[in-house]
Amino acid sequence: GLRDVAVLGAARAAELEAALAAAGAPRLHPGPYLNEFAVRVPDAAAVHARLIGRGILAGLPVARIMPGEPSLADALLVCATEITTSAEIAAFAAALHEELAGGVR
């Protein structure tokens, strides 16, 4: 039951981490995680807003919840769960890659 849910959620998060790193958004911290982690995205708040405008659920700009921490200004907190699909991960990674490459405005 719950163990299976946790294992699947962790596997989806690892898939998300690999996809976002390939898209140009590496994980911010090297420590262990279960299903959520932060990635480095230059101008995270603006990229987040554009992705939301495209219908992509793009995590949370960390600066929104920790505005006084400059080391987190370019961070997005992202998460995957047992119900996150590989197609959703691929769509997020592709859209983020386009944004980081400056291809979509």
Side-chain angles (χ1 to χ4, degrees), residues 1-9 82:
L2 287 179
R3 180 185 171 111
D4 293 339
V5 168
V7 168
L8 183 55
E82 73 281 359

Side-chain angles (χ1 to χ4, degrees), residues 1-101:
L2 287 179
R3 180 185 171 111
D4 293 339
V5 168
V7 168
L8 183 55
R12 291 288 193 241
E15 181 182 347
L16 177 62
E17 178 188 358
L20 296 184
R27 195 157 61 108
L28 193 61
H29 300 104
Y33 63 91
L34 180 59
N35 66 343
E36 63 182 25
F37 53 92
V39 293
R40 182 168 308 285
V41 176
D43 201 8
V47 170
H48 177 266
R50 289 194 302 270
L51 288 171
I52 293 294
R54 294 173 62 181
I56 303 291
L57 184 58
L60 172 73
V62 178
R64 214 179 266 173
I65 55 174
M66 297 183 75
E69 183 56 55
S71 68
L72 299 175
D74 288 337
L76 280 180
L77 182 64
V78 297
C79 177
T81 70
E82 73 281 359
I83 63 171
T84 304
T85 66
S86 292
E88 291 167 331
I89 290 169
F92 179 19
L96 182 59
H97 179 71
E98 289 174 0
E99 288 293 335
L100 294 175

